[in-house]
mmCIF file of all heavy atoms in Angstrom:
data_model
loop_
_atom_site.group_PDB
_atom_site.id
_atom_site.type_symbol
_atom_site.label_atom_id
_atom_site.label_comp_id
_atom_site.label_asym_id
_atom_site.label_seq_id
_atom_site.Cartn_x
_atom_site.Cartn_y
_atom_site.Cartn_z
ATOM 1 N N SER A 89 14.288 8.588 -5.272
ATOM 2 C CA SER A 89 14.666 10.033 -4.945
ATOM 3 C C SER A 89 15.127 10.744 -6.225
ATOM 4 O O SER A 89 14.738 11.821 -6.529
ATOM 5 C CB SER A 89 15.861 10.046 -3.982
ATOM 6 O OG SER A 89 15.418 9.651 -2.754
ATOM 7 N N TYR A 90 15.874 10.048 -7.154
ATOM 8 C CA TYR A 90 16.307 10.597 -8.378
ATOM 9 C C TYR A 90 15.141 10.909 -9.308
ATOM 10 O O TYR A 90 15.102 11.984 -9.890
ATOM 11 C CB TYR A 90 17.302 9.582 -8.963
ATOM 12 C CG TYR A 90 17.708 10.109 -10.439
ATOM 13 C CD1 TYR A 90 18.656 11.086 -10.678
ATOM 14 C CD2 TYR A 90 17.119 9.504 -11.572
ATOM 15 C CE1 TYR A 90 18.959 11.551 -11.882
ATOM 16 C CE2 TYR A 90 17.506 9.888 -12.906
ATOM 17 C CZ TYR A 90 18.404 10.943 -12.987
ATOM 18 O OH TYR A 90 18.707 11.429 -14.276
ATOM 19 N N LEU A 91 14.208 9.941 -9.406
ATOM 20 C CA LEU A 91 13.138 10.119 -10.267
ATOM 21 C C LEU A 91 12.164 11.251 -9.757
ATOM 22 O O LEU A 91 11.680 12.063 -10.533
ATOM 23 C CB LEU A 91 12.285 8.813 -10.355
ATOM 24 C CG LEU A 91 12.960 7.708 -11.091
ATOM 25 C CD1 LEU A 91 12.104 6.336 -11.019
ATOM 26 C CD2 LEU A 91 13.183 8.033 -12.562
ATOM 27 N N GLN A 92 12.049 11.309 -8.495
ATOM 28 C CA GLN A 92 11.295 12.521 -7.887
ATOM 29 C C GLN A 92 11.923 13.867 -8.246
ATOM 30 O O GLN A 92 11.225 14.716 -8.633
ATOM 31 C CB GLN A 92 11.118 12.300 -6.394
ATOM 32 C CG GLN A 92 10.090 11.272 -5.977
ATOM 33 C CD GLN A 92 10.054 11.106 -4.500
ATOM 34 O OE1 GLN A 92 10.916 11.608 -3.723
ATOM 35 N NE2 GLN A 92 9.179 10.320 -4.005
ATOM 36 N N HIS A 93 13.208 13.832 -8.114
ATOM 37 C CA HIS A 93 14.019 15.052 -8.411
ATOM 38 C C HIS A 93 13.823 15.422 -9.869
ATOM 39 O O HIS A 93 13.599 16.619 -10.256
ATOM 40 C CB HIS A 93 15.429 15.006 -8.050
ATOM 41 C CG HIS A 93 16.249 16.082 -8.427
ATOM 42 N ND1 HIS A 93 16.235 17.248 -7.729
ATOM 43 C CD2 HIS A 93 17.187 16.272 -9.400
ATOM 44 C CE1 HIS A 93 17.066 18.149 -8.351
ATOM 45 N NE2 HIS A 93 17.637 17.579 -9.330
ATOM 46 N N GLU A 94 13.983 14.460 -10.791
ATOM 47 C CA GLU A 94 13.815 14.669 -12.238
ATOM 48 C C GLU A 94 12.464 15.169 -12.566
ATOM 49 O O GLU A 94 12.279 16.044 -13.352
ATOM 50 C CB GLU A 94 14.246 13.427 -13.026
ATOM 51 C CG GLU A 94 15.679 13.194 -13.009
ATOM 52 C CD GLU A 94 16.484 14.245 -13.721
ATOM 53 O OE1 GLU A 94 16.200 14.667 -14.816
ATOM 54 O OE2 GLU A 94 17.502 14.763 -13.070
ATOM 55 N N SER A 95 11.460 14.552 -11.900
ATOM 56 C CA SER A 95 10.083 14.915 -12.176
ATOM 57 C C SER A 95 9.803 16.381 -11.749
ATOM 58 O O SER A 95 9.206 17.116 -12.486
ATOM 59 C CB SER A 95 9.088 14.022 -11.536
ATOM 60 O OG SER A 95 9.163 12.741 -12.074
ATOM 61 N N LYS A 96 10.326 16.786 -10.658
ATOM 62 C CA LYS A 96 10.179 18.144 -10.107
ATOM 63 C C LYS A 96 10.872 19.112 -11.108
ATOM 64 O O LYS A 96 10.291 20.140 -11.411
ATOM 65 C CB LYS A 96 10.762 18.196 -8.752
ATOM 66 C CG LYS A 96 9.965 17.538 -7.651
ATOM 67 C CD LYS A 96 8.952 18.493 -7.171
ATOM 68 C CE LYS A 96 8.319 17.946 -5.902
ATOM 69 N NZ LYS A 96 7.171 18.794 -5.437
ATOM 70 N N GLN A 97 12.030 18.793 -11.576
ATOM 71 C CA GLN A 97 12.766 19.638 -12.472
ATOM 72 C C GLN A 97 11.986 19.851 -13.815
ATOM 73 O O GLN A 97 11.943 20.868 -14.400
ATOM 74 C CB GLN A 97 14.124 19.115 -12.793
ATOM 75 C CG GLN A 97 15.109 19.170 -11.634
ATOM 76 C CD GLN A 97 15.197 20.501 -11.012
ATOM 77 O OE1 GLN A 97 15.494 21.504 -11.720
ATOM 78 N NE2 GLN A 97 14.932 20.579 -9.694
ATOM 79 N N TYR A 98 11.339 18.706 -14.277
ATOM 80 C CA TYR A 98 10.534 18.741 -15.466
ATOM 81 C C TYR A 98 9.322 19.627 -15.291
ATOM 82 O O TYR A 98 8.944 20.439 -16.209
ATOM 83 C CB TYR A 98 10.203 17.299 -15.944
ATOM 84 C CG TYR A 98 9.441 17.220 -17.223
ATOM 85 C CD1 TYR A 98 10.158 17.480 -18.439
ATOM 86 C CD2 TYR A 98 8.127 17.097 -17.375
ATOM 87 C CE1 TYR A 98 9.524 17.458 -19.627
ATOM 88 C CE2 TYR A 98 7.354 17.092 -18.525
ATOM 89 C CZ TYR A 98 8.147 17.227 -19.711
ATOM 90 O OH TYR A 98 7.491 17.280 -20.913
ATOM 91 N N VAL A 99 8.735 19.538 -14.147
ATOM 92 C CA VAL A 99 7.564 20.311 -13.887
ATOM 93 C C VAL A 99 7.947 21.850 -13.898
ATOM 94 O O VAL A 99 7.198 22.694 -14.571
ATOM 95 C CB VAL A 99 6.969 20.045 -12.440
ATOM 96 C CG1 VAL A 99 5.931 21.037 -12.045
ATOM 97 C CG2 VAL A 99 6.297 18.571 -12.560
ATOM 98 N N ILE A 100 9.071 22.122 -13.217
ATOM 99 C CA ILE A 100 9.549 23.623 -13.332
ATOM 100 C C ILE A 100 9.739 24.049 -14.736
ATOM 101 O O ILE A 100 9.340 25.085 -15.140
ATOM 102 C CB ILE A 100 10.804 23.726 -12.494
ATOM 103 C CG1 ILE A 100 10.538 23.569 -11.014
ATOM 104 C CG2 ILE A 100 11.427 25.144 -12.778
ATOM 105 C CD1 ILE A 100 11.762 23.571 -10.126
ATOM 106 N N HIS A 101 10.450 23.170 -15.498
ATOM 107 C CA HIS A 101 10.776 23.506 -16.890
ATOM 108 C C HIS A 101 9.410 23.790 -17.720
ATOM 109 O O HIS A 101 9.419 24.812 -18.464
ATOM 110 C CB HIS A 101 11.615 22.413 -17.524
ATOM 111 C CG HIS A 101 11.784 22.516 -18.999
ATOM 112 N ND1 HIS A 101 12.688 23.383 -19.557
ATOM 113 C CD2 HIS A 101 11.227 21.830 -20.034
ATOM 114 C CE1 HIS A 101 12.657 23.375 -20.838
ATOM 115 N NE2 HIS A 101 11.766 22.389 -21.190
ATOM 116 N N VAL A 102 8.552 22.932 -17.657
ATOM 117 C CA VAL A 102 7.303 23.057 -18.401
ATOM 118 C C VAL A 102 6.438 24.286 -17.963
ATOM 119 O O VAL A 102 6.029 24.995 -18.726
ATOM 120 C CB VAL A 102 6.504 21.815 -18.350
ATOM 121 C CG1 VAL A 102 5.124 21.989 -18.961
ATOM 122 C CG2 VAL A 102 7.136 20.644 -19.035
ATOM 123 N N CYS A 103 6.403 24.503 -16.624
ATOM 124 C CA CYS A 103 5.660 25.585 -16.086
ATOM 125 C C CYS A 103 6.288 26.929 -16.479
ATOM 126 O O CYS A 103 5.563 27.899 -16.732
ATOM 127 C CB CYS A 103 5.572 25.522 -14.603
ATOM 128 S SG CYS A 103 4.528 24.210 -13.924
ATOM 129 N N LYS A 104 7.602 27.005 -16.588
ATOM 130 C CA LYS A 104 8.288 28.205 -16.931
ATOM 131 C C LYS A 104 8.106 28.583 -18.352
ATOM 132 O O LYS A 104 8.419 29.732 -18.794
ATOM 133 C CB LYS A 104 9.713 28.174 -16.523
ATOM 134 C CG LYS A 104 9.906 28.288 -15.070
ATOM 135 C CD LYS A 104 11.281 28.532 -14.639
ATOM 136 C CE LYS A 104 11.341 28.736 -13.126
ATOM 137 N NZ LYS A 104 12.699 29.148 -12.704
ATOM 138 N N GLU A 105 7.623 27.668 -19.203
ATOM 139 C CA GLU A 105 7.333 27.977 -20.629
ATOM 140 C C GLU A 105 5.979 28.724 -20.793
ATOM 141 O O GLU A 105 5.712 29.285 -21.895
ATOM 142 C CB GLU A 105 7.322 26.706 -21.439
ATOM 143 C CG GLU A 105 8.668 25.987 -21.635
ATOM 144 C CD GLU A 105 8.698 24.918 -22.554
ATOM 145 O OE1 GLU A 105 7.846 24.839 -23.501
ATOM 146 O OE2 GLU A 105 9.424 23.913 -22.305
ATOM 147 N N LEU A 106 5.206 28.791 -19.756
ATOM 148 C CA LEU A 106 3.970 29.481 -19.807
ATOM 149 C C LEU A 106 4.086 30.951 -19.559
ATOM 150 O O LEU A 106 5.038 31.393 -18.898
ATOM 151 C CB LEU A 106 2.964 28.903 -18.775
ATOM 152 C CG LEU A 106 2.660 27.381 -18.865
ATOM 153 C CD1 LEU A 106 1.738 27.022 -17.615
ATOM 154 C CD2 LEU A 106 2.012 27.053 -20.183
ATOM 155 N N LYS A 107 3.239 31.725 -20.010
ATOM 156 C CA LYS A 107 3.144 33.205 -19.753
ATOM 157 C C LYS A 107 2.405 33.446 -18.548
ATOM 158 O O LYS A 107 1.621 32.706 -18.026
ATOM 159 C CB LYS A 107 2.517 33.933 -20.997
ATOM 160 C CG LYS A 107 3.352 33.780 -22.296
ATOM 161 C CD LYS A 107 2.651 34.487 -23.377
ATOM 162 C CE LYS A 107 3.522 34.310 -24.644
ATOM 163 N NZ LYS A 107 2.892 34.873 -25.819
ATOM 164 N N SER A 108 2.722 34.670 -17.993
ATOM 165 C CA SER A 108 2.060 35.129 -16.713
ATOM 166 C C SER A 108 0.593 35.398 -17.086
ATOM 167 O O SER A 108 0.303 35.806 -18.146
ATOM 168 C CB SER A 108 2.765 36.404 -16.241
ATOM 169 O OG SER A 108 2.256 36.807 -14.968
ATOM 170 N N PRO A 109 -0.345 35.073 -16.209
ATOM 171 C CA PRO A 109 -0.306 34.564 -14.861
ATOM 172 C C PRO A 109 -0.265 33.050 -14.717
ATOM 173 O O PRO A 109 -0.184 32.544 -13.573
ATOM 174 C CB PRO A 109 -1.565 35.104 -14.233
ATOM 175 C CG PRO A 109 -2.579 35.077 -15.391
ATOM 176 C CD PRO A 109 -1.729 35.383 -16.605
ATOM 177 N N TYR A 110 -0.276 32.371 -15.851
ATOM 178 C CA TYR A 110 -0.417 30.925 -15.846
ATOM 179 C C TYR A 110 0.851 30.306 -15.288
ATOM 180 O O TYR A 110 0.801 29.256 -14.688
ATOM 181 C CB TYR A 110 -0.708 30.422 -17.217
ATOM 182 C CG TYR A 110 -2.039 30.975 -17.686
ATOM 183 C CD1 TYR A 110 -2.020 31.900 -18.726
ATOM 184 C CD2 TYR A 110 -3.213 30.693 -17.129
ATOM 185 C CE1 TYR A 110 -3.243 32.555 -19.159
ATOM 186 C CE2 TYR A 110 -4.445 31.178 -17.497
ATOM 187 C CZ TYR A 110 -4.465 32.172 -18.581
ATOM 188 O OH TYR A 110 -5.639 32.714 -18.943
ATOM 189 N N GLN A 111 2.012 30.952 -15.585
ATOM 190 C CA GLN A 111 3.281 30.354 -15.095
ATOM 191 C C GLN A 111 3.291 30.342 -13.539
ATOM 192 O O GLN A 111 3.559 29.293 -12.909
ATOM 193 C CB GLN A 111 4.455 31.269 -15.538
ATOM 194 C CG GLN A 111 5.799 30.722 -15.103
ATOM 195 C CD GLN A 111 6.944 31.606 -15.492
ATOM 196 O OE1 GLN A 111 7.306 32.558 -14.782
ATOM 197 N NE2 GLN A 111 7.463 31.433 -16.716
ATOM 198 N N GLU A 112 2.820 31.387 -12.922
ATOM 199 C CA GLU A 112 2.866 31.480 -11.492
ATOM 200 C C GLU A 112 1.806 30.464 -10.871
ATOM 201 O O GLU A 112 2.079 29.764 -9.836
ATOM 202 C CB GLU A 112 2.443 32.877 -10.953
ATOM 203 C CG GLU A 112 3.546 33.903 -11.211
ATOM 204 C CD GLU A 112 3.471 34.458 -12.682
ATOM 205 O OE1 GLU A 112 2.554 34.226 -13.436
ATOM 206 O OE2 GLU A 112 4.514 35.175 -13.130
ATOM 207 N N ILE A 113 0.650 30.414 -11.493
ATOM 208 C CA ILE A 113 -0.441 29.546 -11.067
ATOM 209 C C ILE A 113 0.030 28.070 -11.199
ATOM 210 O O ILE A 113 -0.103 27.248 -10.332
ATOM 211 C CB ILE A 113 -1.687 29.801 -11.839
ATOM 212 C CG1 ILE A 113 -2.287 31.174 -11.517
ATOM 213 C CG2 ILE A 113 -2.744 28.683 -11.542
ATOM 214 C CD1 ILE A 113 -2.650 31.423 -10.167
ATOM 215 N N ALA A 114 0.645 27.765 -12.362
ATOM 216 C CA ALA A 114 1.096 26.335 -12.634
ATOM 217 C C ALA A 114 2.203 25.911 -11.568
ATOM 218 O O ALA A 114 2.156 24.831 -11.113
ATOM 219 C CB ALA A 114 1.600 26.209 -14.059
ATOM 220 N N LEU A 115 3.096 26.837 -11.344
ATOM 221 C CA LEU A 115 4.231 26.484 -10.413
ATOM 222 C C LEU A 115 3.619 26.263 -8.966
ATOM 223 O O LEU A 115 3.947 25.310 -8.276
ATOM 224 C CB LEU A 115 5.284 27.658 -10.382
ATOM 225 C CG LEU A 115 6.257 27.698 -11.543
ATOM 226 C CD1 LEU A 115 7.068 28.885 -11.519
ATOM 227 C CD2 LEU A 115 7.099 26.411 -11.432
ATOM 228 N N ALA A 116 2.673 27.220 -8.678
ATOM 229 C CA ALA A 116 2.041 27.005 -7.204
ATOM 230 C C ALA A 116 1.334 25.730 -7.121
ATOM 231 O O ALA A 116 1.355 25.008 -6.221
ATOM 232 C CB ALA A 116 1.160 28.210 -6.955
ATOM 233 N N HIS A 117 0.602 25.356 -8.199
ATOM 234 C CA HIS A 117 -0.302 24.209 -8.185
ATOM 235 C C HIS A 117 0.409 22.932 -8.374
ATOM 236 O O HIS A 117 0.282 22.036 -7.694
ATOM 237 C CB HIS A 117 -1.438 24.441 -9.148
ATOM 238 C CG HIS A 117 -2.462 23.311 -9.079
ATOM 239 N ND1 HIS A 117 -3.317 23.163 -7.979
ATOM 240 C CD2 HIS A 117 -2.784 22.274 -9.900
ATOM 241 C CE1 HIS A 117 -4.116 22.122 -8.191
ATOM 242 N NE2 HIS A 117 -3.780 21.584 -9.377
ATOM 243 N N PHE A 118 1.142 22.894 -9.497
ATOM 244 C CA PHE A 118 1.800 21.612 -9.912
ATOM 245 C C PHE A 118 3.165 21.381 -9.202
ATOM 246 O O PHE A 118 3.410 20.200 -8.920
ATOM 247 C CB PHE A 118 1.989 21.567 -11.408
ATOM 248 C CG PHE A 118 0.659 21.515 -12.188
ATOM 249 C CD1 PHE A 118 0.292 22.631 -12.994
ATOM 250 C CD2 PHE A 118 -0.251 20.486 -11.973
ATOM 251 C CE1 PHE A 118 -0.922 22.588 -13.636
ATOM 252 C CE2 PHE A 118 -1.478 20.510 -12.612
ATOM 253 C CZ PHE A 118 -1.844 21.555 -13.457
ATOM 254 N N TYR A 119 3.927 22.380 -8.960
ATOM 255 C CA TYR A 119 5.224 22.216 -8.335
ATOM 256 C C TYR A 119 5.158 22.298 -6.832
ATOM 257 O O TYR A 119 5.661 21.365 -6.131
ATOM 258 C CB TYR A 119 6.212 23.271 -8.864
ATOM 259 C CG TYR A 119 7.590 23.106 -8.257
ATOM 260 C CD1 TYR A 119 8.425 22.078 -8.593
ATOM 261 C CD2 TYR A 119 8.060 24.018 -7.265
ATOM 262 C CE1 TYR A 119 9.613 21.853 -8.006
ATOM 263 C CE2 TYR A 119 9.257 23.858 -6.721
ATOM 264 C CZ TYR A 119 10.085 22.747 -7.031
ATOM 265 O OH TYR A 119 11.355 22.647 -6.527
ATOM 266 N N GLU A 120 4.529 23.314 -6.261
ATOM 267 C CA GLU A 120 4.412 23.402 -4.884
ATOM 268 C C GLU A 120 3.237 22.591 -4.298
ATOM 269 O O GLU A 120 3.070 22.545 -3.070
ATOM 270 C CB GLU A 120 4.255 25.007 -4.526
ATOM 271 C CG GLU A 120 5.476 25.782 -4.893
ATOM 272 C CD GLU A 120 5.275 27.308 -4.732
ATOM 273 O OE1 GLU A 120 4.360 27.668 -3.935
ATOM 274 O OE2 GLU A 120 6.054 28.071 -5.254
ATOM 275 N N GLU A 121 2.376 22.075 -5.197
ATOM 276 C CA GLU A 121 1.348 21.259 -4.824
ATOM 277 C C GLU A 121 0.218 21.877 -3.881
ATOM 278 O O GLU A 121 -0.228 21.358 -2.977
ATOM 279 C CB GLU A 121 1.765 19.915 -4.225
ATOM 280 C CG GLU A 121 2.639 19.197 -5.196
ATOM 281 C CD GLU A 121 3.187 17.773 -4.622
ATOM 282 O OE1 GLU A 121 2.849 17.467 -3.471
ATOM 283 O OE2 GLU A 121 3.889 17.137 -5.326
ATOM 284 N N LYS A 122 0.024 23.164 -4.148
ATOM 285 C CA LYS A 122 -0.915 23.914 -3.399
ATOM 286 C C LYS A 122 -2.424 23.781 -4.092
ATOM 287 O O LYS A 122 -2.484 23.579 -5.256
ATOM 288 C CB LYS A 122 -0.632 25.365 -3.374
ATOM 289 C CG LYS A 122 0.645 25.713 -2.595
ATOM 290 C CD LYS A 122 0.998 27.198 -2.628
ATOM 291 C CE LYS A 122 2.279 27.468 -1.884
ATOM 292 N NZ LYS A 122 2.624 28.879 -1.934
ATOM 293 N N THR A 123 -3.370 23.875 -3.245
ATOM 294 C CA THR A 123 -4.705 23.774 -3.767
ATOM 295 C C THR A 123 -5.136 25.095 -4.323
ATOM 296 O O THR A 123 -4.484 26.182 -4.084
ATOM 297 C CB THR A 123 -5.675 23.371 -2.610
ATOM 298 O OG1 THR A 123 -5.749 24.489 -1.661
ATOM 299 C CG2 THR A 123 -5.344 22.119 -1.884
ATOM 300 N N ALA A 124 -6.144 25.118 -5.057
ATOM 301 C CA ALA A 124 -6.711 26.327 -5.720
ATOM 302 C C ALA A 124 -7.107 27.306 -4.608
ATOM 303 O O ALA A 124 -6.877 28.522 -4.626
ATOM 304 C CB ALA A 124 -7.907 26.043 -6.472
ATOM 305 N N ALA A 125 -7.659 26.863 -3.512
ATOM 306 C CA ALA A 125 -8.000 27.671 -2.397
ATOM 307 C C ALA A 125 -6.857 28.286 -1.668
ATOM 308 O O ALA A 125 -6.900 29.489 -1.349
ATOM 309 C CB ALA A 125 -8.820 26.907 -1.320
#
Side-chain angles (χ1 to χ4, degrees):
S89 294
Y90 174 78
L91 291 174
Q92 286 175 351
H93 176 73
E94 286 298 308
S95 292
K96 288 273 190 184
Q97 292 305 309
Y98 185 73
V99 169
I100 291 172
H101 172 73
V102 171
C103 290
K104 287 193 175 184
E105 289 186 31
L106 302 176
K107 293 180 181 176
S108 189
Y110 303 107
Q111 182 182 91
E112 295 82 12
I113 296 297
L115 283 169
H117 185 71
F118 296 114
Y119 179 72
E120 296 172 18
E121 299 180 1
K122 294 180 181 177
T123 64

